[in-house]
Amino acid sequence: MTPDSVEIAKAAKEAFEISQLIPTEERVKALHSICVALQANKNEILSANADDLQAAQGEVHAGRMSESMMKRLDLSKGDKWDSMLQGVRDVAALPDPTSVVTYASELDDDLELYRVSCPIGVLLVIFESRPEVVVNIASLAIKSGNAAILKGGKESTRTAVLLSKAISEGLSQTSLPQTYIQTIQTRAEVSSLLGLDQYIDLVIPRGSNSLVRNIQNSTRIPVMGHADGLCSVYLDETADVEKAVRVVVDSKTDYPSACNAAEFLIVHESLLKSIWPVVAEALIKSRVHLQCDPSMLDTVRSLEGFDTFVQPANESSFLTEHLSLTMSVISTPSLQDAIRFINSHSSHHTDVIVTENELAASVFTRGVDSAGTFVNASSRFADGFRYGFGTEVGISTGRIHARGPVGLEGLVIYKYMLRSKANKGHTVGEFGAGKKSYKHKPIVAEAVPF
Amino acid sequence: MTPDSVEIAKAAKEAFEISQLIPTEERVKALHSICVALQANKNEILSANADDLQAAQGEVHAGRMSESMMKRLDLSKGDKWDSMLQGVRDVAALPDPTSVVTYASELDDDLELYRVSCPIGVLLVIFESRPEVVVNIASLAIKSGNAAILKGGKESTRTAVLLSKAISEGLSQTSLPQTYIQTIQTRAEVSSLLGLDQYIDLVIPRGSNSLVRNIQNSTRIPVMGHADGLCSVYLDETADVEKAVRVVVDSKTDYPSACNAAEFLIVHESLLKSIWPVVAEALIKSRVHLQCDPSMLDTVRSLEGFDTFVQPANESSFLTEHLSLTMSVISTPSLQDAIRFINSHSSHHTDVIVTENELAASVFTRGVDSAGTFVNASSRFADGFRYGFGTEVGISTGRIHARGPVGLEGLVIYKYMLRSKANKGHTVGEFGAGKKSYKHKPIVAEAVPF
């Protein structure tokens, strides 16, 4: 336990508690001030970013970093800078997720109960590589009223330090404490913080599977995120061939390294000579490598590209998140078996059925125990922006609190406020057999009236 | 890892998955069948309960069990049996917490998204002593569509085995699997199950602090519950004396061993010669022992019972959940200090302000970071029945998923169902710059239409 980490965590909790008494308008003001501070420091930040990039180039040459990782570091490319700032303004413009009354009841004359949304507390967010995530996450935390401690990848340290400085500058223009958003640099600090569940309320890892898994394995603090994105498309007996081709190809190829890209294709065995060869042909044309159930090879053997793109499945085919133009394919004798296969092999992220049968659609969407169950639509729709949340905190494959694409709503919880307006206050001793009983009369209220 | 535990956990997950395809009406039918089975086996169950009681009497004589624990075992006392059965019928009559649409949006023509509530999965519920909790929890799990594994206290094993048999009998009258609700007997099984996060989705411990803490410390599975109930009442500068007396006495004495009983009394220092002595007198009359901040002793020294009931606070006074007629008392120079004290010493369960000042009420309810923040009302109101939830799964001091008294809503999460009705299905490749954009048009729907 580094003493510094304890100080950081304490400061975050204190900043959170102080912030609870500051009007929510200040949080929106902070976001706009941060935009101003970022813009004012643009040159300095992009110059630090160039230094990070140069160092990364050295790492790439030495074979210690991938080209694609290096590219993600670059803040000056295209409209990345402007869209980072626009992102902050967009978050500022979203509806306030806090102070929303979600249940209100008159328990007795002059005794009113309100359940009202409020921030969770202190977030620890750990991510890799792309430096603009610092700004992105800081905006989400500020908008939802949570204090946050952020740790980015070491490749972008120079950039992140200056981005954080701009965030602090922005916060200093408001009554929010500057310790509301803090950044840390080392893994040792992360390890220490993961032990401080008295100060930190939620950990949000955004990055590779191994990052997420390591974190899940090393803390008692709740973790929101997903380790795997093992999504599947099932072609039902009644599948339409055009829908099958379009949905499978889009699910696999639109963005293969995304967590909502499909890794498994499950084909009803009645389709092996009809739709399966057409779908296989389209996938091969899209340069997708297929790892197939042996029973499925015969009917596609004559396709152009078979030798290059088709091979028998191996024992890891249905355990692997390929994250590339590779798809594992299996056949199934029934919808029930497909559901069972998905429930035991998918990561409960998003699974798709292609079918013309209403009952099959209904059985699949209810029987598949995943965050998203889709009918005749690409798995790639599983995304906060596409769902209409305006922004995305991440995607959760957990089963409590928030599931699937998580918007700002995933960063709030609620508290109960109870007020007696009676002359003598209220005691529970007034209720019971032979005494008063509870009214439980719904109150219509959008905000707490006190 | 006992192989039995793995089988139990697997069977529970399988039962859960099968149940997803069974109409929810079967769950209500199961509850009524369980009532019938319990009633049919009443004599046998009460006779086993008498055996448990007799064994417990031996333990009490030997000093290994408290009298009150023994009493909680008794199922034949008063209307306990009938109210246990009525409890099951009450749960059956509650609105179904599943299949509720909480967000629905048309993403594009013929592309509809529904967020719909659904069960969490497999619950592991661990409790102590009172055997009727088996029936109570089984009803809640069945009503909300979750499979459950239940472990009661070893003192009530004979009773619990027969209650479980009746539950199985009831389930066998429906299409739900009998493994939907399973019971286990040993701590070794619990330890094994706590490691099986691939099958078990939520742990709910109901019992002593040490039980809850031990479980929280030994599993990666999310835990819903509260380890401590350190609640406080703060008497603000403007407190009304009658409200102060009534609220403090009720909060402390209505049911001292409950988690929502107040343990701390915080008094604004301007009240030390006015309201504090009146409140202290009332507490002493109710036989409450006071552990006071030394500064507070002088003004109550002349009270009858001072020598017996009042003593200086010691270093553990503000760390202890007394669960008895003892209250720790401290004075504070300001509302801000009271809030700081509560945030750092309370268990974020329920805290109360007694005040006539609207602003103080507003600042306190927002600034105190607890599941319940009350104005002029007893902390004892923090309860699912009193809040109007019909029943209570437990009280949570966690900050994600569910907070405060948890009703059936706490046993559900949601999934996203997306359906394309378009002729060609839907791909994300159709959207973007120069192509279609998302509509995000709200849909009014109470249920998923497919």
Side-chain angles (χ1 to χ4, degrees), chain A residues 153-217:
Chain A
K154 68 176 188 315
E155 324 73 46
S156 60
T157 299
R158 295 174 190 82
T159 318
V161 164
L162 293 188
L163 291 173
S164 310
K165 220 180 112 198
I167 292 168
S168 291
E169 250 180 75
L171 286 170
S172 74
Q173 302 299 309
T174 72
S175 50
L176 289 164
Q178 276 177 260
T179 46
Y180 202 48
I181 304 292
Q182 299 178 82
T183 48
I184 56 173
Q185 310 298 339
T186 69
R187 286 195 187 188
E189 287 169 307
V190 172
S191 304
S192 299
L193 290 172
L194 289 175
L196 298 174
D197 62 327
Q198 67 273 50
Y199 301 119
I200 296 170
D201 301 300
L202 184 63
V203 183
I204 306 179
R206 289 176 49 148
S208 67
N209 296 1
S210 62
L211 172 80
V212 179
R213 252 179 219 293
N214 282 341
I215 286 167
Q216 285 175 328
N217 282 325

Side-chain angles (χ1 to χ4, degrees), chain A residues 6-20:
Chain A
V6 176
E7 289 314 309
I8 289 167
K10 270 190 183 171
K13 189 60 134 189
E14 207 176 282
F16 168 67
E17 288 172 357
I18 291 168
S19 75
Q20 294 293 88

Side-chain angles (χ1 to χ4, degrees), chain A residues 395-418:
Chain A
I395 292 190
S396 167
T397 53
R399 284 145 182 287
I400 62 164
H401 189 64
R403 196 182 193 197
V406 181
L408 278 175
E409 273 183 36
L411 296 183
V412 300
I413 182 72
Y414 51 77
K415 71 200 293 187
Y416 289 93
M417 298 187 185
L418 178 71

Side-chain angles (χ1 to χ4, degrees), chain A residues 13 16-17 20-21 103 105 107 111 113 115 118-121 201-202 213 216-217 219-220 222-223 240 242-243 246-247 250 254 336 339-340 343-344 348 358 361-382 384-389 398-406 409 412-431 438 440 448-450, chain B residues 13 16-17 20-21 103 105 107 111 113 115 118-121 201-202 213 216-217 219-220 222-223 240 242-243 246-247 250 254 336 339-340 343-344 348 358 361-382 384-389 398-406 409 412-431 438 440 448-450:
Chain A
K13 189 60 134 189
F16 168 67
E17 288 172 357
Q20 294 293 88
L21 293 174
Y103 177 83
S105 175
L107 306 189
L111 184 63
L113 178 72
R115 180 170 69 195
C118 62
I120 291 171
D201 301 300
L202 184 63
R213 252 179 219 293
Q216 285 175 328
N217 282 325
T219 185
R220 285 176 48 194
V223 177
D240 170 85
E242 185 176 10
K243 291 182 191 174
R246 281 169 39 86
V247 168
D250 191 82
D254 180 64
Q336 307 300 336
I339 293 173
R340 249 194 303 275
N343 282 339
S344 56
H348 310 286
E358 279 282 305
S362 175
V363 167
F364 183 91
T365 50
R366 282 153 186 83
V368 169
D369 179 31
S370 293
T373 54
F374 293 2
V375 183
N376 297 333
S378 167
S379 61
R380 291 272 300 136
F381 283 107
F385 295 93
R386 293 177 188 138
Y387 278 9
F389 303 160
R399 284 145 182 287
I400 62 164
H401 189 64
R403 196 182 193 197
V406 181
E409 273 183 36
V412 300
I413 182 72
Y414 51 77
K415 71 200 293 187
Y416 289 93
M417 298 187 185
L418 178 71
R419 178 172 63 159
S420 167
K421 295 188 288 186
N423 285 339
K424 301 177 170 193
H426 264 91
T427 63
V428 303
E430 299 165 41
F431 298 81
Y438 289 94
H440 296 143
V448 176
F450 56 94
Chain B
K13 189 58 132 190
F16 168 67
E17 287 173 357
Q20 293 293 88
L21 293 174
Y103 179 83
S105 176
L107 306 190
L111 184 63
L113 178 72
R115 181 171 68 195
C118 61
I120 291 171
D201 301 301
L202 184 63
R213 251 180 219 293
Q216 285 175 327
N217 282 326
T219 187
R220 286 175 49 193
V223 178
D240 171 84
E242 186 176 8
K243 291 180 190 175
R246 281 170 38 88
V247 168
D250 191 82
D254 179 64
Q336 307 300 336
I339 292 173
R340 249 195 302 275
N343 282 340
S344 55
H348 310 286
E358 279 281 306
S362 175
V363 167
F364 183 91
T365 50
R366 282 155 185 81
V368 168
D369 179 31
S370 294
T373 53
F374 292 2
V375 183
N376 296 333
S378 167
S379 59
R380 290 273 299 136
F381 282 107
F385 295 92
R386 291 174 190 140
Y387 277 10
F389 302 159
R399 284 146 183 286
I400 62 163
H401 189 65
R403 195 181 193 197
V406 180
E409 272 183 38
V412 299
I413 182 71
Y414 50 77
K415 71 200 293 185
Y416 289 93
M417 297 186 186
L418 178 71
R419 178 172 63 158
S420 167
K421 295 189 287 186
N423 284 338
K424 302 179 170 192
H426 263 92
T427 63
V428 303
E430 300 165 40
F431 298 82
Y438 289 93
H440 295 142
V448 176
F450 56 93

Side-chain angles (χ1 to χ4, degrees), chain A residues 102 115 366 403, chain B residues 20 24 27 94-104 113-119 143-145 408-417 443-450:
Chain A
T102 56
R115 180 170 69 195
R366 282 153 186 83
R403 196 182 193 197
Chain B
Q20 293 293 88
T24 55
R27 306 204 302 252
L94 285 172
D96 184 358
T98 69
S99 306
V100 179
V101 172
T102 56
Y103 179 83
L113 178 72
Y114 297 89
R115 181 171 68 195
V116 53
S117 65
C118 61
K143 179 73 188 184
S144 57
L408 279 176
E409 272 183 38
L411 296 184
V412 299
I413 182 71
Y414 50 77
K415 71 200 293 185
Y416 289 93
M417 297 186 186
I443 299 173
V444 179
E446 288 193 4
V448 176
F450 56 93

Side-chain angles (χ1 to χ4, degrees), chain B residues 6 15 36 76 102 122 130 132 164 178 201 225 227 238 254 349 374 392 402 409 414 435 447 449:
Chain B
V6 176
V36 171
S76 60
T102 56
V122 177
R130 296 186 301 126
E132 70 273 25
S164 310
Q178 274 177 262
D201 301 301
T238 64
D254 179 64
H349 185 300
F374 292 2
E392 186 178 277
E409 272 183 38
Y414 50 77
K435 295 184 274 182

Side-chain angles (χ1 to χ4, degrees), chain A residues 130-349:
Chain A
R130 296 187 299 127
E132 70 272 26
V133 176
V134 174
V135 174
N136 181 226
I137 298 277
S139 326
L140 295 170
I142 292 170
K143 179 72 188 186
S144 57
N146 293 283
I149 303 169
L150 312 177
K151 156 82 172 72
K154 68 176 188 315
E155 324 73 46
S156 60
T157 299
R158 295 174 190 82
T159 318
V161 164
L162 293 188
L163 291 173
S164 310
K165 220 180 112 198
I167 292 168
S168 291
E169 250 180 75
L171 286 170
S172 74
Q173 302 299 309
T174 72
S175 50
L176 289 164
Q178 276 177 260
T179 46
Y180 202 48
I181 304 292
Q182 299 178 82
T183 48
I184 56 173
Q185 310 298 339
T186 69
R187 286 195 187 188
E189 287 169 307
V190 172
S191 304
S192 299
L193 290 172
L194 289 175
L196 298 174
D197 62 327
Q198 67 273 50
Y199 301 119
I200 296 170
D201 301 300
L202 184 63
V203 183
I204 306 179
R206 289 176 49 148
S208 67
N209 296 1
S210 62
L211 172 80
V212 179
R213 252 179 219 293
N214 282 341
I215 286 167
Q216 285 175 328
N217 282 325
S218 52
T219 185
R220 285 176 48 194
I221 306 170
V223 177
M224 185 160 74
H226 64 100
D228 295 305
L230 294 169
C231 303
S232 53
V233 180
Y234 165 61
L235 305 182
D236 184 44
E237 221 171 341
T238 64
D240 170 85
V241 61
E242 185 176 10
K243 291 182 191 174
V245 168
R246 281 169 39 86
V247 168
V248 173
V249 171
D250 191 82
S251 296
K252 178 70 250 179
T253 68
D254 180 64
Y255 189 1
S257 63
C259 65
N260 58 11
E263 306 296 353
F264 306 154
L265 173 62
I266 304 160
V267 182
H268 191 279
E269 57 187 23
S270 66
L271 308 181
L272 289 191
K273 294 181 180 169
S274 52
I275 291 181
W276 158 233
V278 183
V279 171
E281 187 176 17
L283 286 167
I284 292 172
K285 279 207 179 121
S286 299
R287 311 196 65 74
V288 176
H289 290 263
L290 302 172
Q291 299 182 354
C292 298
D293 200 4
S295 71
M296 308 187 72
L297 294 174
D298 278 347
T299 51
V300 296
R301 215 174 281 279
S302 61
L303 293 178
E304 196 175 333
F306 175 87
D307 292 336
T308 316
F309 288 100
V310 186
Q311 59 183 106
N314 58 54
E315 56 189 13
S316 68
S317 292
F318 295 98
L319 302 169
T320 306
E321 187 175 3
H322 302 295
L323 294 170
S324 64
L325 287 175
T326 299
M327 195 164 206
S328 308
V329 194
I330 192 168
S331 75
T332 183
S334 70
L335 171 61
Q336 307 300 336
D337 277 294
I339 293 173
R340 249 194 303 275
F341 180 87
I342 293 171
N343 282 339
S344 56
H345 289 79
S346 93
S347 63
H348 310 286
H349 185 301

